[in-house]
Amino acid sequence: MNPVAEEVFMTSPGSADGVVAIGVKRQFDSVFALRGVDFTARYGEVTGLVGPNGAGKTTLLLILATLLLPDEGTVRIAGHDPVTETGAVRAMSGWVPDAFGVYDNLTTREYLRFAGLAYGLGKRSPARAEELLVLSRLQDFADRPVHVLSRGQKQRLGFVRSLVHGPRVLLLDEPAAGLDPYSRVELRDLLRQLASVGAAVVVSSHVLADLEQMADRVVFVDRGVTVGERRIDDLARASGPRVWRLRALNESELVAALDRNHYPHTAPTPGGVDVELLSDEAAAGLIAGLVRDGVHVVSCAPLTTSLEATYLALTGDQG
Amino acid sequence: MSGVLTVARLELTVRVRAGRWRWLLAAWFVILVGFTTLLRLAVSHAHNLQGNVGTVMYGGLQLFLLALALLVMPALTAQSVNGDRERGTLGVLQVTRLSAFDIAGGKLLAAWGTACIFLLASAPLVAWSMVEKGVPAIRVVIVTLVVALLLGVICAISLGLSALLARGTTSSVLSYLSVFALTLGTLIVFGLATAATTQTRVVHFSTGDPSAPAGCCSSEETVARTDLTWWILAPNPFVVLADAAPVVVERPPICRSFRTRGSIRTFCTPQPQSGVDPLGDISRSVRSLRSPPGLQSNIARSGGGEDLVWPYGLGFDVLLGGFMFGVATRRLRTPRRTLPRGVRLA
Ligand SMILES: Nc1ncnc2c1ncn2[C@@H]1O[C@H](COP(=O)(O)OP(=O)(O)OP(=O)(O)O)[C@@H](O)[C@H]1O
Ligand SMILES: [Mg+2]
């Protein structure tokens, strides 16, 4: 447990929901960006926000972050209305935009100190900046100009900047974009950590594999409407037709065995052979059969994750 | 107020470290030194100055400095809001506890502070002209304050435009256009408006010849009604600067004594100093515009309080600057209902 993250969330949440948005609509000129989005995010949970490009995720996050006014609908952040109690919402929430803009000629340390001042920390901001430097593992870059940081380092800096005032609601727009696998795992751990100490974390992302590992719940939006929501642990239990990829020590042995048992399959590739199966039980049966036939099966795994399958099913009919 | 200072400090830090700013200041200083030196050499052989070289130097320097500053200032502020938005740093600033006023005020303060540093860089040259005599300290104080205020107005106008318009290039062009409107624009409109309001009137005069028929002798003359159009010139920064400068009295007024019915009366007229004091010349000519036709020859009223032009001009300029600052503050207020076309917040 990170000591910095721990001290951030001392107060216990009054209500279970950090973010509530009901029937949110927003139009830009003639474009309907949001046509009725319902969205909630609970304290202590990471909530994923997924949807195709242009679905309205960024627009929704801008409304939650008090930058855009919704045309219609009710929004509450930590119990406050972003329209009428803007200050209270800002004190309670942190926002990380998808594109992290930087000031020229400002060092990492100065940038974080300035963020502290902007959030009214006053004399406490230098100390807070040091804590955040540790949290972001950017101590070595503390006196380097922000604009020379790599994309991933900037992303990390933008992320810890949003924590400067200890927000209880965290809104992140595609935080994983541009991160290397290691930083991705790290981000995941950090977000889980923040949730475990009571924050409501909202993450929009296109990387479903990431969400599958860090989110508790996922809300799907498509063309400005909420089209569904799932708890990740429910998704893991659910099943349906899926493509599984098989690999064996001897490929021709495997193909021959599949043909013998009348399993339709794709042509073998270096990655393996793909077979569509109806359920987990069918997969178990297939493996047992192959082993019985003497095929040396190395691996058998679903090609698409359950989240991906749900995503495609919910947002699929795009034409 | 601390929010304003926070933003101003950030802006200044970012700006001061940018190398081009230092080069600009260096170039600025070199140009001013070159101009002042040339001016000093140019007037060194003039005979009518009678030890008032400083007056010419100071007046010329201030007019030149203002012209140069009007060229530089829009470049410092014209992209401060939309540039931040394009770079993606504005939204992050707006979601903090800083208010729209803090952000706009901080940006204005930083730009204005920078302008004042440019102004300060001319201090050695001002000191030089004071050493050359003919520049009262009060004139330096007032002119410096007025120039500083005018530069603040230009910064506020540029800031407002940068908040109003989505593209940095558009707001830069419009900032320069507004400087153009205030300087050459007022001059052009004044010229045209004066020509348009020129009246022809018939002047009757008597020839002293009793045999001439009544009303025989008249002639037509055209009169420029500048008393109706002078206000167009008032917002011109150069007019404001020159007219606000306190009069330099370096020569004693010409006094004549008359003996009337046994008592001696003395009439004094301040001496006009044409060609000696550039600021005074401009001031006298714009003040004379205010008199109705027929009274224009009354040059003697050079210090006449009722003919002041600069309070109107400066008042207008400051109101304009305040209005544009208000526009910037309004445009920075979040959450936003409307966005300029084609602008994304993130
Ligand atoms: N300022 C704006 N002016 C006009 N249209 C806009 C504006 N902002 C967003 N839109 C439109 O609203 C829709 C939703 O955009 P938004 O950025 O919210 O999508 P998104 O879900 O974040 O997409 P992505 O996954 O690509 O980031 C898009 O069709 C977009 O073109
Ligand atoms: Mg987006």
Side-chain angles (χ1 to χ4, degrees), chain B residues 45-61:
Chain B
H45 300 297
H47 298 298
N48 62 334
L49 294 178
Q50 300 184 358
N52 290 320
V53 173
T55 316
V56 183
M57 272 177 71
Y58 182 73
L61 174 65

Side-chain angles (χ1 to χ4, degrees), chain A residues 66-245:
Chain A
T66 74
L67 285 176
L68 266 186
L69 217 55
D71 293 337
E72 265 177 65
T74 316
V75 179
R76 292 287 177 278
I77 307 289
H80 299 284
D81 185 344
V83 181
T84 55
E85 302 163 278
T86 313
V89 170
R90 287 177 183 173
M92 299 284 208
S93 62
W95 173 65
V96 186
D98 51 356
F100 177 77
V102 291
Y103 293 96
D104 303 341
N105 311 302
L106 209 62
T107 68
T108 307
R109 178 176 278 131
E110 285 170 329
Y111 180 76
L112 289 174
R113 284 187 183 178
F114 168 71
L117 292 175
Y119 274 104
L121 295 192
K123 289 200 172 58
R124 281 181 298 134
S125 37
R128 185 67 182 145
E130 298 310 311
E131 290 172 1
L132 294 176
L133 280 172
V134 174
L135 188 65
S136 59
R137 291 190 302 108
L138 290 171
Q139 300 105 302
D140 293 346
F141 299 88
D143 295 311
R144 300 266 192 89
V146 176
H147 66 272
V148 305
L149 296 183
S150 76
R151 181 180 157 85
Q153 289 167 336
K154 279 180 194 157
Q155 201 83 25
R156 286 214 299 267
L157 180 62
F159 172 63
V160 295
R161 184 208 56 88
S162 73
L163 298 178
V164 70
H165 56 306
R168 286 176 48 205
V169 174
L170 211 56
L171 310 163
L172 301 102
D173 202 352
E174 301 192 25
L179 292 188
D180 62 38
Y182 180 68
S183 305
R184 222 167 252 229
V185 172
E186 200 181 53
L187 174 76
R188 203 162 69 200
D189 291 348
L190 207 54
L191 292 185
R192 290 264 24 126
Q193 225 174 71
L194 289 168
S196 71
V197 292
V201 181
V202 178
V203 186
S204 96
S205 181
H206 288 296
V207 189
L208 299 176
D210 270 356
L211 278 184
E212 200 148 37
Q213 291 178 41
M214 80 180 151
D216 298 285
R217 218 172 107 256
V218 174
V219 176
F220 300 88
V221 287
D222 187 17
R223 279 163 281 179
V225 205
T226 307
V227 290
E229 61 170 86
R230 297 282 189 280
R231 297 201 66 85
I232 292 290
D233 41 12
D234 289 347
L235 278 179
R237 279 192 293 272
S239 59
R242 273 199 272 169
V243 177
W244 294 67
R245 176 160 291 178

Side-chain angles (χ1 to χ4, degrees), chain A residues 268-293:
Chain A
T269 62
V273 181
D274 296 346
V275 182
E276 186 168 301
L277 298 170
L278 280 176
S279 63
D280 287 1
E281 287 73 26
L286 171 61
I287 295 168
L290 289 172
V291 170
R292 227 181 296 117
D293 286 1

Side-chain angles (χ1 to χ4, degrees), chain B residues 211-227:
Chain B
S211 65
C216 77
C217 309
S218 63
S219 69
E220 285 196 342
E221 72 176 17
T222 55
V223 278
R225 296 301 306 271
T226 56
D227 57 318

